[in-house]
Amino acid sequence: MNWSARKTLRRRFLVALGHAIHVTWPVLSILLAIQLALGLLAGFIEGWSFGDAVYFTFITGLTIGYGDLVPRQGLTRALAIGIGFFGLFVTGVIAAIAVHAMLSALTDGGSGGERS
């Protein structure tokens, strides 16, 4: 694959990615909002700062879990499970968007699945 073809494929991918994100943004934003609300609630219960609660939310949601912030109470442990659950959904949606965009770029010129 020459340089020009790679550049065209990259452009098609980015166009299809933008279209797919635009279409799925309501679902993705709701999942992120729920995840963040659970994290802020857990942070409030545990007495963490706002920044620590947001950090905990995304580290837990991405299933990284460094262990520097650990929920001590039963309710916040249950909330952490919910954060992880919604984090898996967010990761799955983002992966599906990327796969769709790549397939679209390879098959129909990056129109995002819409044929004109």
Side-chain angles (χ1 to χ4, degrees), residues 5 46 58-59 113:
E46 289 290 331
F58 288 104
I59 292 301

Side-chain angles (χ1 to χ4, degrees), residues 91-111:
T91 303
V93 169
I94 291 171
I97 288 169
V99 168
H100 171 75
M102 182 54 78
L103 288 174
S104 179
L106 290 171
T107 58
D108 62 11
S111 65

